[in-house]
Amino acid sequence: MPITWHEPTRQLHLHNGRLSLVLAVLENDWLGQLHVGAPLDPQATYRHLGPAEFLGFTNRVDEPVGLAVPTAGSGDFRIPALVVEQPDGSAVLDMAYAGHRIVTGKPDLEGLPSTYVEDPSEAATVEIDLADPVAGLEVTLVVTIFEDRPVIARSMRLRNAGTGRLIVRTAMSASVDLPDGPWDLLGFSGAWGRERHPHRAALLPGRRAVGSLRGATGHEHDPSLFLLRPETDETRGEGFALSLVYSGNFLAEADVGSRSTTRIRMGIHPDGFAWTLEPGATFTTPEAVLAWSGDGIGALSAALHAFYRERLARGVWRDRLRPILLNSWEGVYFDFDHARLLDMARASADLGVELFVLDDGWFGERDHDRTSLGDWVVDRRKLPDGLAPLAADVEALGMSFGLWIEPEMVSVQSRLFAEHPEWAIGIPGRERTESRHQLVMDLSRPEVVDHLEVAIGDVLSSAAISYVKWDMNRNITEPFGASLPADRHGEFFHRYMLGTYELWRRLTTRFPDVLFESCASGGGRFDPGMLAFAPQAWTSDDTDAIERLSIQWGASHVYPLSSIGAHVSAVPNHQVGRVTPLATRAAVAFFGVFGYELDPRTLGDTERAEIRGHIAFYREHREIFQRGRFIRLRSPLGGDDAAWMVVAEDRMTAIVAHYRILRRPVAPPDRLRLRDLDPGTVYRVSAWPGPTPAASVRRGGDLLMAVGLGLVPEDPATGVPDGDFAARLYVLSAD
Ligand code: DGJ
């Protein structure tokens, strides 16, 4: 059992040879955190890493004691993990150790997505009870350590054990105390169309926070933070990754204290949050995941990728290779009918596409984005015979059929809004703010979830639908749960998320064979919480290959390639107007769940032939693209080129991609050092596109890693320099 309790020192050690978390009950019965990070000997005791004696902060204000569940107001002036207002209005807590249980496996979190085990032997969990009888509060800290993964998962359960009403103001999923500095913070931030660009900066005394108050994780910040030593790079050095399995308002914050200690906290954003706990009631926080590595950022990403792909994603599609899709959106937007779609489908099948997806515009009278959300019935003007014959026609072409939905939204111009205006979020007597001409349904109300389960369920069972793109195109304004009592609106945002998760749970359970992809105007709700229901996400509405380099590079820090939706679109690109070669667009989209986002009827013969080749190439290597180990080599941010690679688990195959962003004259010879190959293996290296495999070379893994792969800076056939936006892949296979 990788959790050890040492009674004489009251020490709890979670260990698996990959990382250690050492907790201890301090003299005042608070739960101390003595160490987190590098694996330590499970036989030893580490009480000396904490305060020699700790009797509370009474006379020693500001002492840098590491605590597992820090609270405010009794001498620790750093950011708290738990703030609970009591009947007398005070919020000081004295959470004393009251016992613990160690169990094999990992219990589920009630109503919330979480990581899981398939067999209890994969993990061990400790539930540590803390109690404050004066406040009438009991807290159970739940921490799981996984066999052979450098990760732990943590959440808290709160219970009102008293007789008065408690109000939870802050309940963080994670709180981590690090005893020394300096640290850099690496986060993933941006906006619509340029999501998840990495930003790294040294932590300075004081706080640095990212978060969301939009009701969704948002385009602005990913709910993940990496904490790195200044010298840590992709392959070397110590670092932590913290990531929240949640899709709503969140806060991820670092606080460097006066003694250079660093505290990180992550959880539901406390701003505007207030959860009432009546006597006997409980509250469970979302789960936070922490990974540690001494081998650089790449190892942190590898740990998260494997963990999220294997033990966060669920259902039959977790392990299935994902189909190559063509999505109708950028091809025809709202302008289609059955015949037109069928023509598109025919042209798609001819290219080798496996899944034809009908995006927005098939329901109500939706010829534009000002109408019909909520009216989930087929628009008979466009599809006179409904969805079933269209799906059947698509299937007859040898493809499967997929459909777009946006269940959480309602248009003011819709039958649903006319019948149930009270189901749209808003404050009676105040004007509702519209965004994209739509309002958000109040999923904090159980009857709204029930209605959507039936409405969307009817659609999904009305035809052979094997894929669903679940979109969400605006954030919440005028937050207000009309069914909540006046003093409980601080619960609204979280209740919205609980309702949304419940809808996801019901629909994914009822349609277990459907492949779900989450979307929120691209990457506006791409987070670990959604990954628990939908194993892939539409990464960004920006489909330009060059923009996508930065977006996918950033996303790859946290998310596996099997979750990163990436499509080839037409040029000039619809978001930035850039013209890039078709091969480059494919070479970027290969590194994700591959597909197309264009009207295949508009392609010329040469392009069609080229695309057939691209699809054949992806099919041949799909396994390694979707399941291989992804390695970042050269960042596209700020440079003239970029490179990354994927390696098969047995290291006998790898695909390296080099992208030239801007071509410069008189470039020096360029060698790209590869990683994670087998040094003793000789690889046959062939370039794609062209020259033919006959022209491939043989290179040792040792050489490719130590000296590098010589990049081909011009077309080998013509000798013409590869210009701006060129891409070349190198396929390595053990010879
Ligand atoms: C936003 C999505 O990100 C797009 O791909 C597309 O589905 C539109 N919504 C449709 O309204």
Side-chain angles (χ1 to χ4, degrees), residues 327 329 334 359-360 366 404 436 469 471 473 519-522 538 541 597:
N327 187 48
W329 182 241
F334 296 107
D359 205 280
D360 197 351
R366 192 151 161 98
W404 178 98
R436 210 194 187 208
K469 177 179 175 185
D471 205 347
N473 282 303
C519 172
S521 303
W538 181 226
D541 273 348
E597 186 88 19

Side-chain angles (χ1 to χ4, degrees), residues 517 526 536-540 548 552 561 563-567 592-593:
E517 175 157 341
F526 187 168
Q536 60 190 62
W538 181 226
T539 313
S540 176
R548 273 298 187 118
Q552 292 174 209
L561 293 196
S563 68
I564 296 179
H567 300 171
V593 187

